[in-house]
Amino acid sequence: MDLSFTPEEEAFRTEVRQFFAESLPLRFTDRVRRGQGLSKSDQEEWQAILNARGWLAPHWPVDWGGTGWNVVERYIFDLESNLAHAPRVVPFGFSMLAPVLLKYGSEKQKHHWLPRMLDGSDWWCQGYSEPGAGSDLAALKTRAVRDGDDYVVNGQKTWTTLGQYANMIFALVRTAETGRRQEGISFLLVDMATPGVEVRPIITLDGDHEVNEIFFTDVRVPAENLVGEQDRGWAYAKYLLTYERTSMAMIGSSTTALAWLKALAAKQKRGGKLLIDDALFAARLARAEIELANLSTTTMRVLAAVAGGGAPGAESSMLKIKGTELRQEISSLARRALGPHAQPFVPEALDEGHNDAPIGPDEAASVTPHYLNLRKLSIYGGSNEIQKNIISKMILQL
């Protein structure tokens, strides 16, 4: 596989870099670089900038507002986006629901919901996990009963990322109890403003409000918001998860984090010598860099294999495992590099407008909160243990 870029691809990379240099607000760059969160209005502003350029949905078909980029161009854009410290586009609508609608949704659903993603009318969240139904998603108990032209939904979802911002949620619901557990599950689009929908915050270990519980009490959802066929939602859910897991290779974010870590190690001293010259640390750093190069190659191979319109299969599980483990390893090495400067937790240092001098190197304040937050990577999207089961069954035929 030739990993060198063609002159045309290098020209595209230059175009992307110029766009970020000219269009990415500096205040966004600073906040992302420092590990500070962005508000919903910040996210919406950045998405509007991307949409105005026609770059908000890189992997959508051109006919639906996508870019028409090939696999390499999408790879370059993602990498340069991270290197420029651009905000990450919230993926639930663009990268997760949209592929499902494009493949399984009705023409009416596609014409209604896809343009609303692009123009910012809708902010989507994901209603999959429940208490007792995380990686074992087929154990979900939220029920939807058909009543005339509506479904009546009762139940609970949990770990709903950014659900406090969302006005729409795509949810898996149980519509039948017969047969295998994977049967009888349906895929519904629910307006969060509907009576009976309640959002309760979950405050995480780092003090952040990122995830939520969502309760449904006699929520009436129009039957036209059913995606595909009733009781066939498990197939649509698996299709969506392959896209989520492939994106969790996180090549761009790992590349940026590793570059920062190498620069830090070249300045930090331990025992009178630079950390980059410490044999043990340098070996772990080199291993991370090698694994990132291998993961990058594998990711491009998987994306190229499905460039004709297919969906990644069990290979997405490999990318999810290696991508999350590598990202966690880099964050662990960052804490090790900072030493005692990684210990203080100053939550206000991550707030907008905080100007106090950092404890230790610049950007140190976010390292430990991010380390703690990134423990979730090997759990959500289907735990890594579940991904290994998928690989053993689908690829190794065990």
Side-chain angles (χ1 to χ4, degrees), residues 4 22 28 48-49 61 78 91 111 130 149 194 226 228 291 306 334 353 356 362 383-384 397:
S4 61
E22 295 175 350
F28 292 173
I49 293 172
D78 178 68
H111 281 283
E130 300 181 4
D149 293 332
T194 308
L226 173 73
E291 290 190 353
V306 301
D356 289 354
D362 192 25
S383 71
N384 285 7
Q397 302 295 312

Side-chain angles (χ1 to χ4, degrees), residues 211-226:
V211 291
N212 305 268
E213 296 176 289
I214 311 291
F215 293 85
F216 302 91
T217 305
D218 294 331
V219 176
R220 302 193 73 88
V221 180
E224 64 181 8
N225 283 14
L226 173 73

Side-chain angles (χ1 to χ4, degrees), residues 51-66:
N51 190 40
R53 183 61 180 262
W55 288 1
L56 182 53
H59 55 286
W60 290 16
V62 173
D63 291 346
W64 292 103

Side-chain angles (χ1 to χ4, degrees), residues 55-212:
W55 288 1
L56 182 53
H59 55 286
W60 290 16
V62 173
D63 291 346
W64 292 103
T67 59
W69 291 343
N70 61 31
V71 170
V72 176
E73 289 168 329
R74 295 202 302 268
Y75 174 87
I76 289 173
F77 180 78
D78 178 68
L79 180 60
E80 294 299 328
S81 176
N82 280 276
L83 291 174
H85 301 292
R88 173 175 175 257
V89 173
V90 178
F92 303 111
F94 299 103
S95 303
M96 296 165 68
L97 175 60
V100 173
L101 291 180
L102 287 165
K103 185 173 179 67
Y104 298 107
S106 67
E107 288 301 309
K108 181 178 179 181
Q109 288 172 338
K110 287 184 280 191
H111 281 283
H112 179 75
W113 297 114
L114 295 178
R116 291 176 61 86
M117 292 183 199
L118 293 174
D119 68 18
S121 297
D122 292 325
W123 182 297
W124 287 88
C125 63
Q126 180 185 32
Y128 272 28
S129 295
E130 300 181 4
S135 292
D136 184 16
L137 192 56
L140 67 88
K141 298 185 181 300
T142 296
R143 290 190 57 81
V145 178
R146 184 68 182 261
D147 182 22
D149 293 332
D150 295 332
Y151 285 94
V152 180
V153 181
N154 284 278
Q156 176 187 357
K157 298 294 179 180
T158 194
W159 310 122
T160 311
T161 303
L162 300 183
Q164 72 271 29
Y165 295 153
N167 68 304
M168 296 294 302
I169 181 172
F170 56 89
L172 293 181
V173 295
R174 184 161 299 284
T175 44
E177 296 285 356
T178 57
R180 298 169 59 243
R181 292 189 307 161
Q182 289 81 358
E183 299 171 358
I185 293 174
S186 298
F187 196 107
L188 278 184
L189 312 178
V190 184
D191 187 334
M192 301 276 282
T194 308
V197 177
E198 180 185 1
V199 180
R200 299 181 189 174
I202 299 175
I203 305 303
T204 52
L205 186 62
D206 57 1
D208 194 19
H209 177 195
E210 181 184 15
V211 291
N212 305 268

Side-chain angles (χ1 to χ4, degrees), residues 133-395:
S135 292
D136 184 16
L137 192 56
L140 67 88
K141 298 185 181 300
T142 296
R143 290 190 57 81
V145 178
R146 184 68 182 261
D147 182 22
D149 293 332
D150 295 332
Y151 285 94
V152 180
V153 181
N154 284 278
Q156 176 187 357
K157 298 294 179 180
T158 194
W159 310 122
T160 311
T161 303
L162 300 183
Q164 72 271 29
Y165 295 153
N167 68 304
M168 296 294 302
I169 181 172
F170 56 89
L172 293 181
V173 295
R174 184 161 299 284
T175 44
E177 296 285 356
T178 57
R180 298 169 59 243
R181 292 189 307 161
Q182 289 81 358
E183 299 171 358
I185 293 174
S186 298
F187 196 107
L188 278 184
L189 312 178
V190 184
D191 187 334
M192 301 276 282
T194 308
V197 177
E198 180 185 1
V199 180
R200 299 181 189 174
I202 299 175
I203 305 303
T204 52
L205 186 62
D206 57 1
D208 194 19
H209 177 195
E210 181 184 15
V211 291
N212 305 268
E213 296 176 289
I214 311 291
F215 293 85
F216 302 91
T217 305
D218 294 331
V219 176
R220 302 193 73 88
V221 180
E224 64 181 8
N225 283 14
L226 173 73
V227 175
E229 301 177 38
Q230 180 174 304
D231 301 335
R232 294 280 298 161
W234 187 252
Y236 315 147
K238 290 196 298 181
Y239 182 77
L240 182 152
L241 285 171
T242 60
Y243 280 90
E244 180 183 15
R245 290 165 184 164
T246 301
S247 69
M248 291 178 72
M250 298 179 293
I251 302 299
S253 62
S254 289
T255 299
T256 304
L258 187 60
W260 176 82
L261 177 58
K262 290 172 68 176
L264 177 66
K267 296 183 294 184
Q268 289 285 94
K269 287 190 175 182
R270 188 73 50 80
K273 64 179 181 180
L274 291 174
L275 188 58
I276 196 71
D277 295 326
D278 179 88
L280 179 58
F281 187 88
R284 289 183 64 178
L285 195 61
R287 178 179 291 276
E289 192 163 14
I290 292 168
E291 290 190 353
L292 178 57
N294 291 338
L295 180 62
S296 177
T297 301
T298 304
T299 299
M300 292 189 69
R301 283 175 173 160
V302 171
L303 293 176
V306 301
E315 299 85 356
S316 64
S317 294
M318 293 190 296
L319 300 182
K320 197 270 182 179
I321 292 170
K322 294 305 298 181
T324 56
E325 289 179 347
L326 178 58
R327 190 67 188 87
Q328 289 175 340
E329 168 67 2
I330 294 172
S331 73
S332 178
L333 286 174
R335 291 186 73 244
R336 183 175 292 272
L338 285 170
H341 289 141
Q343 292 179 337
F345 176 43
V346 186
E348 58 270 21
L350 303 182
D351 295 337
E352 186 172 5
H354 181 81
N355 294 316
D356 289 354
I359 301 175
D362 192 25
E363 304 165 32
S366 65
V367 169
T368 292
H370 283 182
Y371 168 83
L372 296 172
N373 187 275
L374 292 177
R375 299 309 96 191
K376 69 188 179 185
L377 293 182
S378 50
I379 300 174
Y380 76 63
S383 71
N384 285 7
E385 290 78 10
I386 293 294
Q387 303 317 305
K388 292 174 183 177
N389 288 343
I390 293 172
I391 292 169
S392 67
K393 178 179 179 181
M394 303 300 295
I395 297 180

